Amino acid sequence: MRNLSMMTDLYELTMMNGYSALGTGDKTAVFDLFFRQQGQISYAVAAGLQQTIEYINNLHFDEEDIEYLRREAGLCDRFLEELRSFRFTGDVFAVPEGTVVFPDEPILVVRAPLSQAQLIEPAVLNIINHQTLIATKASRVKKSAGRAAVSEFGLRRAQGPDAGIYGARASIIGGCSGTSNVLAGQMFDIPVKGTMAHSWIMSFGSELEAFRRFAEIYPDNTLLLVDTYDTLRSGVPNAIKVFDELKAKGRKPVGIRLDSGDLAYLSKKARRMLDEAGHTDAIIFASCDLDEYVISSLNEQGAKIDAYGVGTRLITSESMPSLGGVYKLAELTENGVRVPKIKISDTHEKITNPGFKTLYRVYDGDGKAFADLIALADERFDVTAPLTLTHPTMRWKSTTLEKYSMRRLLVPVFEGGKQVYESPKLKDIAAYAVSEKDSFWDEYMRNVNPEIYKVDLSDELYALKSRLIAEHTGGRA
């Protein structure tokens, strides 16, 4: 396992060094990781917790790390000596991977000595921002694909090996059924998918010969790429000839792949040709610069596509290249007293929610997700009594539920530096993500113009936030 302890920003070490000089690094701090509303997404699918756990478990500084910091970072000897025995001793709470989350909700909460909580900010943001982004993009693609399977095919366009590997993992959480990335398949027990290359076909004297040779080697996995020369005049007719030969031998062809051209038109024509030839069970697999918008358009045009391979626009989340997750101080214990902290900004969306908090999902009488409630961690709710949910800023807007249930979304991951949460297998995370999305009404999950899901603040949290804003602004709005 790689030691990523040095994967931090210099200013984190600069602040830790300062805390050490002042003797304040052991104060207990609470930090929230959340994302802000931006771009096209209305929700996100949380991912990356398993790798965050591995990172925290392996936090330590080797001698070569300390010597590098001594030479290059201008840190004091006392602090560098402290790094020799550095370990994470705090608490972490997080939503399980696959959980549907919304802007401003705490996805992960760290309660730890200030220096420790400070150090891990860049790496934890890097891991969770990336995987949550890709899982969310995959979820949107799968939403457009409907019953059609989606495979992640983006390795060659990913922005580096780690982006390809962990992007493939995240895509499974988001709804993909497989990946072309063999290393990711090996590491995470993901189904690996693939067809054939144009170069295979071009390396033979004819397209038909290339198809026949492939079918001889892979008689039970014959999915033929039909667009190398002429899809409808050559590719599909030659594929049908090979499929006929396979059937005569008692084998079952898989189907064809389209990788260029007008996919809607070609798929409809190819479907008719295959059906008329008696290959009604042969699938049509499509690739070629796909994303949720292209796939939605193909559906609107009546395309006859059974499965998709989605590459560049998925693995890079082309329409929104970053999640915008942030990590903000919410509480600091000073002289044994817990002091809530708030960041105030002229931009309303950048005003943070103070205090040590938790997150609840409220379900209506039909068992569907109705709203999320951000509350202080020590608040208690009587689920036998009516529950009033109030808008986080426009407090005159409220809803009272008589019949409902509540689920706390944040679960303990580390307690006193010890891991207390066991990450599920990836296939189980993916199944959980499906059930999570199924628990929402469709209008919240649609890709275009979704209904805004309610994320409310409890009365106690709202009162605390209002008081701190008044204290820091002298009562000015």
Side-chain angles (χ1 to χ4, degrees), residues 13 18 47 52 54 74 79 81 85 90 96-98 187 193 219 232 256 298 300 306 323 338 359 363 381 386 441:
L13 291 163
T52 299
E54 293 169 357
F79 174 61
E81 287 303 310
S85 58
E97 292 188 273
M187 290 175 62
K193 308 285 186 177
L232 298 180
I256 64 170
L298 290 170
E300 290 170 1
D306 304 292
L323 180 70
R338 291 167 49 192
L359 177 65
Y363 299 87
F381 298 91
W441 296 105

Side-chain angles (χ1 to χ4, degrees), residues 343-451:
K343 179 186 181 298
I344 296 177
S345 171
D346 289 336
T347 304
H348 172 75
E349 291 77 12
K350 290 196 172 184
I351 300 175
T352 60
N353 292 317
F356 178 36
K357 299 176 292 296
T358 192
L359 177 65
Y360 293 94
R361 181 147 295 156
V362 180
Y363 299 87
D364 62 20
D366 295 315
K368 290 286 192 178
F370 180 82
D372 285 0
L373 182 65
I374 306 173
L376 297 173
D378 55 4
E379 287 188 69
R380 296 294 179 265
F381 298 91
D382 180 3
V383 295
T384 65
L387 176 69
T388 298
L389 298 166
T390 311
H391 192 279
T393 56
M394 295 178 282
R395 301 303 281 181
W396 52 270
K397 296 179 69 174
S398 64
T399 302
T400 298
L401 298 177
E402 300 285 343
K403 185 179 181 182
Y404 66 95
S405 60
M406 298 176 69
R407 176 167 70 102
R408 189 190 290 252
L409 297 184
L410 289 165
V411 300
V413 179
F414 283 88
E415 293 180 353
K418 303 294 184 183
Q419 181 183 339
V420 296
Y421 176 83
E422 191 65 35
S423 292
K425 293 183 182 298
L426 187 56
K427 65 180 181 180
D428 295 328
I429 296 173
Y432 167 69
V434 171
S435 69
E436 271 284 279
K437 286 177 278 190
D438 286 346
S439 71
F440 287 83
W441 296 105
D442 288 343
E443 52 264 36
Y444 297 121
M445 295 288 103
R446 63 190 178 217
N447 287 336
V448 179
N449 294 326
E451 182 69 16

Side-chain angles (χ1 to χ4, degrees), residues 125-238:
L125 279 171
N126 175 279
I127 294 166
I128 292 179
N129 267 331
H130 174 245
Q131 289 203 46
T132 300
L133 177 71
I134 303 304
T136 304
K137 184 67 171 182
S139 177
R140 291 171 58 84
V141 171
K142 185 63 177 76
K143 178 68 174 177
S144 291
R147 294 182 179 180
V150 177
S151 293
E152 181 277 310
F153 273 18
L155 175 59
R156 64 191 63 192
R157 302 287 175 79
Q159 292 154 330
D162 279 1
I165 293 166
Y166 294 104
R169 178 185 187 273
S171 74
I172 299 297
I173 295 173
C176 291
S177 57
T179 178
S180 66
N181 187 332
V182 177
L183 179 55
Q186 181 186 43
M187 290 175 62
F188 306 120
D189 193 25
I190 301 172
V192 288
K193 308 285 186 177
T195 59
M196 65 194 314
H198 292 103
S199 57
W200 171 274
I201 297 163
M202 295 162 67
S203 69
F204 290 88
S206 70
E207 184 179 60
L208 181 58
E209 182 188 1
F211 286 176
R212 280 176 170 154
R213 297 292 82 79
F214 191 86
E216 288 173 4
I217 300 169
Y218 305 106
D220 297 314
N221 193 29
T222 303
L223 199 154
L224 301 175
L225 181 59
V226 296
D227 73 327
T228 304
Y229 301 119
D230 189 315
T231 301
L232 298 180
R233 290 188 178 91
S234 171
V236 177
N238 283 329

